[in-house]
Each structure stands twice: as structure tokens, then as C-alpha cells.
Amino acid sequence: MADATTCDREARAILAKNDRGGYTVPTAGLYPYQWNWDSVFAALGFAEHDMDRAWSEIETLFRGQWPNGMVPHILFHQVDPGYFPGPDVWGGVGPIPSSGISQPPIAGTFVRWLLDRNPGAQPRARALFKPLMDWHRWFMTWRNEGGAIVVTHPWETGRDNCPDWDGPFAAIEPEGVEQYYRRDTTHVVEEERPRRYDYDRYLYLVKLGAESGWDEAYLKDTTPFRVADPTMTFTLLRSTRDLKVLAERFGEPVDELDRWIAEMEEGSERLWNAEAGTYDCYDIRAGKHTGVVSNASFLTWYAGVGGGRMLDQFDRIAGLTKYYVPSTDPAHPAYEPKRYWRGPVWAMMNMLIATGLGEAGHTDRAQALTENTRALISKNGFAEYFDPTNGAPAGGRDFTWTAAVWLAWASPNTGKTPWAA
């Protein structure tokens, strides 16, 4: 187990190694571009030692914002033939070659946190306020089903391969998907990545969007994959609350933000599965819940909803594995401790969960999760994700967001607990 000072030094080195000048890549080889929420986590890591670089990370991300307000999940700043699917497959229509879908909108919250730590940067935060509002408005216009926020592709959630998608995928026949060569399995063993069955359906949904020119009105009516998701709903609700705080500081109107907050507070109830006793995904096309307790279920406190509903589930799952929070309930039949989002622990999700727990007053649980994640990283390094049974590193190595949340949260030397700030 590495000591904390050594981990601090290694984490800063990883951020520097993955820095491409204004943006970071998640890790070399496997992910050679700028990913949306990866980049926002990176900003919080940079803030520990280079505040200017933290702001520029988010500013670079918003340079890729589409005219309709959407901020893409990938910006292809420099074409890398080693990555598939690339910009030619996506056919993005923004100012920078990009994908056609978004990712969890944590940026509003993180901009507020950065400004709290760096009050002199108010002009930079103000410059981001309108783009953030436009992005939130895009969600509320095109991805809003009664206040629950939907996704049109699993990659949009950030939880790419979780069992929540098994039911919706069973209803999709991926017609017209041409032969392709997956490059992710040249960097990571196949047992830790999605199966080809799932990848065929990922690419079918990309094809459907690209052929429509990413016409949201058309996709709303026709896509077979439209699923209300806790990650999107809870992060957008939380981020909207933080945008309201920024609006009040900047003297901006808050009526629209208040409407969105009220709508999502009500809409979050659509994600409550009373039979399973959890927040889970809701398949709009099939009209039913997916029945999976995931780590996204525990973002309820981060969003400021649900009260104590999920505490028993949290305590049960925390007691099932050495390291927690696993991305899928270990009691679920689709749980796989090493396969991408079907079981592994993700440090950055743990940071959001711990933040919510602490803010809701569950500080003992928040501190225990912080210490558990600290032990996981210091013993096993800065991997993309980890086996919850023994902490074995999996996925990509020298991973940006794991290094970032170490510096921003888990490190006993540099980490901060946002709920105590």
C-alpha cells in the first residue's frame, strides 16, 4: 500500500501525463479524446494545485457545445485512428467534431465548487453561466419525461454497460450495422469490457442518430431506446440547484430554474420502484422499471431527494463486498465484479455518493465510504475501476478521474469533503 504523499504525487503526475493542452484524456490509448464528465472531474483534480488549469478544462469542454445547447460526450480534438467509433461514424453537427449524445451534467455543480474555492474567478464562472443554462434547457426540452430525465444511448449515462440496459436491448434488433473492429479490447482484456451483443446495439443506436442528423424531435418519436435514468435525473437536478445559487450571486433570474427544480423533484418519483425498494431506470418504451439497484441509485442524496429511503439498501450493499459501492447489486443475477459497469467500484461515483450522504447528515456513512475508497486506491493504484471483492484494478490504468478524485476528495492530505465546506 502506497502512503498518501506518494499517491498525491502520482495523481498529479497522471493529470500531467494525460493533459493535452486545455483538456485531458481519460487515459492514453483506450480513451484518446476529451470526455465530458471525465473532464469535469479532472478540473476538480487540477484545482488542488493549478486553479487556472481547472477552469480551462471546463472552458475547453464548452467550446464544443452545439447550437441547440447540447454538450457532447466526446470531443474529437485530434483524430486518432486507434479509437472506434470515431467522428466519421458519429457525424456530429457542433463546432468541434464530436459524438451526438451528451453525458451526466455535473458541470454546474463543479463550477460552483470551483468558484467557492476561487472567488476571484467570478468572471470565468459568469462566462460559463449562459452555456450551462443552455445545456440544462436542452435536457429539459428534449430529455424530459414528466421531470424524469431520459437517455437515448447507454453511453450517455456514463454507466455504459450496466444491467439496466439488458431489457431495453432485448427489444432491439441491430439491423444494418456494418462489420467493425473493436479497439477497446486491444487495451483491456475482453472479460472487463462489454460483450459484442451489447456493442452491436450501441452502434445501431449511433447509426440511428447519425442518419437523422441528430434530430432530437425525430429520435424522441422513433428511437427504441428511451430510458429514464437516475444518473441523469439526479445529476441534472443537483446541478440545477447549484446553477440557482450561481444565478442568485450573479443577479440572474431564477424563475426558470425554480420550475425545473420542482419538475425534477416530482419526476424523480417516476424512478422510485416501490416493489424493489430502490430508485432505478424506467424504460419509457416498455413502460416498466428495470429492477436494478446500482450505484446510481445512491445519488438520491446528492440530488436532495428521497430522504432516508435508500439507507437500508446502502447498508446492505456496503456489507456485501470488501470495497464498495459496487456498480451493480452483488445479489443481482447479472452482477459481474470485473466487467465494465456490471459490478466494479468506480471512485468518482463514490465521491458523488459520499458528498450526498454527508450533505444529508449521514456523515458517518460518508466518512466510512471516503476511507474505504482511500484504502482501495492507495492499495491498488489509479485504475479506471476496481473489483469490489478484492480491489483488483481493472479497465484502463493511470486514469484521470481516479487521480482527480483522489486529490480533490480521498487524499487525507489534499482532499476536501464538500459537505463540510
Side-chain angles (χ1 to χ4, degrees):
M1 179 179 290
D3 65 85
T5 301
T6 299
C7 288
D8 296 342
R9 185 170 58 249
E10 290 178 0
R12 294 186 196 103
I14 288 170
L15 291 182
K17 174 183 175 181
N18 292 339
D19 190 347
R20 297 296 181 269
Y23 71 94
T24 52
V25 299
T27 189
L30 184 59
Y31 302 110
Y33 298 113
Q34 183 178 23
W35 260 257
N36 186 318
W37 71 329
D38 295 69
S39 201
V40 179
F41 280 109
L44 209 60
F46 279 121
E48 182 269 333
H49 56 280
D50 189 343
M51 191 60 76
D52 177 70
R53 183 64 186 79
W55 286 105
S56 67
E57 185 77 23
I58 298 178
E59 290 162 349
T60 301
L61 175 65
F62 275 85
R63 290 191 190 110
Q65 187 169 32
W66 286 18
N68 66 2
M70 194 271 282
V71 182
H73 100 292
I74 306 174
L75 295 180
F76 301 106
H77 291 288
Q78 298 178 346
V79 175
D80 186 327
Y83 180 80
F84 178 84
D88 55 328
V89 177
W90 282 100
V93 298
I96 295 171
S98 70
S99 64
I101 58 173
S102 199
Q103 264 194 331
I106 60 173
T109 297
F110 282 45
V111 166
R112 179 191 172 186
W113 285 349
L114 289 177
L115 185 59
D116 287 344
R117 296 185 188 185
N118 182 212
Q122 182 156 318
R124 300 179 85 163
R126 287 207 66 152
L128 287 164
F129 180 77
K130 184 182 183 301
L132 283 163
M133 285 290 295
D134 290 345
W135 190 20
H136 283 223
R137 192 175 293 110
W138 174 83
F139 274 111
M140 296 305 293
T141 301
W142 296 113
R143 300 304 179 82
N144 177 7
E145 292 278 355
I149 306 304
V150 303
V151 295
T152 59
H153 196 293
W155 289 342
E156 202 158 40
T157 69
R159 300 185 302 117
D160 302 16
N161 191 47
C162 63
D164 285 289
W165 320 134
D166 292 356
F169 268 13
I172 295 176
E173 183 59 43
E175 297 175 351
V177 173
E178 297 178 0
Q179 285 291 107
Y180 60 90
Y181 173 65
R182 285 178 60 182
R183 294 174 175 85
D184 59 321
T185 52
T186 66
H187 299 284
V188 176
V189 296
E190 289 191 24
E191 291 74 17
E192 296 175 7
R193 298 296 295 172
R195 296 179 177 87
R196 187 175 185 91
Y197 169 93
D198 300 293
Y199 226 88
D200 287 347
R201 284 151 181 81
Y202 298 152
L203 293 177
Y204 173 77
L205 294 173
V206 171
K207 177 177 179 289
L208 187 68
E211 288 177 348
S212 76
W214 300 103
D215 182 331
E216 290 293 338
Y218 171 82
L219 291 172
K220 183 176 181 178
D221 290 338
T222 62
T223 180
F225 190 94
R226 191 168 177 86
V227 182
D229 172 55
T231 319
M232 282 301 201
T233 304
F234 290 156
T235 57
L236 185 65
L237 175 52
R238 169 56 187 262
S239 194
T240 304
R241 296 189 197 280
D242 289 313
L243 273 190
K244 180 181 176 181
V245 172
L246 293 175
E248 290 169 340
R249 289 184 192 176
F250 301 156
E252 298 284 348
V254 299
D255 290 353
E256 188 174 29
L257 291 161
D258 282 335
R259 288 197 301 273
W260 292 345
I261 290 167
E263 194 168 353
M264 282 186 280
E265 285 177 340
E266 183 177 348
S268 68
E269 284 300 299
R270 297 195 71 184
L271 302 178
W272 177 249
N273 183 341
E275 182 178 351
T278 188
Y279 289 99
D280 65 1
C281 291
Y282 186 81
D283 185 345
I284 300 296
R285 298 301 188 226
K288 61 183 180 182
H289 288 273
T290 56
V292 182
V293 186
S294 69
N295 51 1
S297 305
F298 300 115
L299 295 176
T300 170
W301 303 293
Y302 180 75
V305 296
R309 268 179 174 172
M310 291 297 297
L311 285 174
D312 287 346
Q313 291 276 25
F314 181 84
D315 292 343
R316 176 183 66 82
I317 287 178
L320 292 177
T321 57
K322 181 176 181 178
Y323 298 105
Y324 62 104
V325 178
S327 44
T328 299
D329 180 356
H332 193 281
Y335 166 75
E336 295 182 74
K338 285 188 182 298
R339 194 179 297 277
Y340 199 54
W341 287 105
R342 299 182 78 86
V345 173
W346 298 73
M348 92 293 179
M349 289 289 284
N350 282 2
M351 190 194 87
L352 301 184
I353 294 167
T355 298
L357 280 167
E359 289 173 340
H362 308 302
T363 52
D364 289 348
R365 290 178 177 88
Q367 190 59 39
L369 179 55
T370 304
E371 293 171 0
N372 187 270
T373 310
R374 178 182 301 151
L376 173 65
I377 296 172
S378 61
K379 182 177 181 181
N380 300 286
F382 297 95
E384 182 180 4
Y385 46 94
F386 303 87
D387 185 329
T389 63
N390 57 16
R397 303 301 197 269
D398 293 342
F399 218 82
T400 291
W401 64 16
T402 310
V405 301
W406 171 268
L407 291 170
W409 165 62
S411 169
N413 299 325
T414 66
K416 295 178 174 61
T417 52
W419 62 88

